[in-house]
Amino acid sequence: IRSEGAVSITWVQLGPELHQAEAASWQWSVSASVPPTDLAQDGGDDRNISLYFVFADDETTARAERGASLSRVLNGEDVRVLLYTFGGEVAGVGIASPHLAPGGKIMVRRAAGTGTFSEEVDLRGDLGRAFGTTEKNLIGIAISADSDDTDTVIAASVSDLVLR
């Protein structure tokens, strides 16, 4: 990932064999970081990396399988998104996403800075704690980098992503 004063996102839809995944693990590394920002603020909320785990009910799952865009999927009323994030001011906090309210929760795993870390998360447990349900399909994963508000450079990578 390289971001120079920009924001970008890419996503992949998941097949039915992964809809009930319960956990995920990955490694991420940042060698050039945005400064700490307030992730609850719409504008000024830069972060190095966010991994979006997109969950939905059957109706939106079917729409996604027919090729709906990420923006259309994210606008579904039944969609819930866990955004595991490397960035922000304080690690270990959950923040309502200003862009996906009420369906998005930012799970800050690492505050802004540099380094290489391995992560392991309980998707279903976090979904239940954030939204009070575990009964949704995991329909997609997105990766985003955001440095437009601070006009800084991000150099980062995500590797070894595994769903279980």
Side-chain angles (χ1 to χ4, degrees), residues 6-119:
V7 61
S8 61
I9 188 168
T10 186
W11 92 302
V12 63
Q13 294 170 302
L14 300 176
E17 68 279 3
L18 295 172
H19 286 178
Q20 299 310 310
E22 296 183 7
S25 60
W26 65 90
Q27 184 176 65
W28 49 15
S29 181
V30 174
S31 59
S33 175
V34 297
T37 60
D38 181 356
L39 299 178
Q41 178 183 328
D42 185 2
D45 59 337
D46 287 357
R47 79 282 316 268
N48 295 317
I49 307 168
S50 282
L51 286 178
Y52 293 54
F53 290 83
V54 182
F55 295 86
D57 290 341
D58 291 339
E59 182 179 330
T60 298
T61 299
R63 189 168 52 245
E65 288 172 348
R66 291 190 302 271
S69 68
L70 176 60
S71 61
R72 184 160 180 228
V73 168
L74 291 178
N75 285 326
E77 285 185 29
D78 66 318
V79 173
R80 300 295 177 261
V81 183
L82 296 173
L83 296 90
Y84 295 100
T85 300
F86 190 147
E89 298 171 314
V90 180
V93 299
I95 302 166
S97 169
H99 305 286
L100 299 172
K105 187 72 136 188
I106 302 168
M107 315 296 280
V108 182
R109 300 291 294 188
R110 305 285 166 184
T114 60
T116 299
F117 304 96
S118 295
E119 304 290 352

Side-chain angles (χ1 to χ4, degrees), residues 20-24 53 55 80-82 84 105 107 109 120-136 138 164:
Q20 299 310 310
E22 296 183 7
F53 290 83
F55 295 86
R80 300 295 177 261
V81 183
L82 296 173
Y84 295 100
K105 187 72 136 188
M107 315 296 280
R109 300 291 294 188
E120 196 164 319
V121 297
D122 174 1
L123 294 171
R124 297 293 162 175
D126 287 345
L127 187 65
R129 284 184 285 281
F131 301 109
T133 184
T134 60
E135 301 301 318
K136 293 191 178 288
L138 176 61
R164 300 179 295 291

Side-chain angles (χ1 to χ4, degrees), residues 131-153:
F131 301 109
T133 184
T134 60
E135 301 301 318
K136 293 191 178 288
N137 301 316
L138 176 61
I139 63 168
I141 298 174
I143 298 176
S144 175
D146 185 349
S147 65
D148 64 333
D149 296 315
T150 56
D151 197 30
T152 54
V153 174

